[in-house]
Amino acid sequence: MKGGDTLKYYQPFKVEDAEQVCFLGLNVKEKEITAASDAVFAIVVVAFVVTAIIILAILFFIIQGVVKEMNKGVSAMQNIAQGDGHSRKERRHHQVA
């Protein structure tokens, strides 16, 4: 069918004490029913992607800061392993005094 599928629903009912059974019919295009849920789904997907990007950016900066501090510690450990018992800052302090 052109323009999308049409959903049809029929419900029998009686009016008070009448002997006849009447039917109430409803014909609705499927796109009209799903339009709101499609819009909500699109909004949720966009919100998820934006949130994921923000969280990843925050984690990147946190991890970058931690790695910088760890590299300072590695550098100090390398100095100690090469025989320098003191870091350069401590040697300068001892020389000045």
Side-chain angles (χ1 to χ4, degrees), residues 29-87:
K29 291 190 177 192
E30 189 176 0
K31 285 185 180 182
E32 290 179 21
I33 295 173
T34 60
S37 64
D38 291 345
V40 169
F41 180 74
I43 290 170
V44 168
V45 168
V46 169
F48 176 78
V49 169
V50 169
T51 303
I53 290 171
I54 291 170
I55 289 172
L56 289 174
I58 290 170
L59 286 175
F60 174 78
F61 289 115
I62 290 172
I63 291 170
Q64 189 177 25
V66 169
V67 168
K68 282 182 182 180
E69 292 301 317
M70 289 177 71
N71 285 337
K72 288 179 185 177
V74 168
S75 177
M77 293 297 118
Q78 286 175 341
N79 286 340
I80 292 171
Q82 291 175 355
D84 293 340
H86 304 287
S87 69

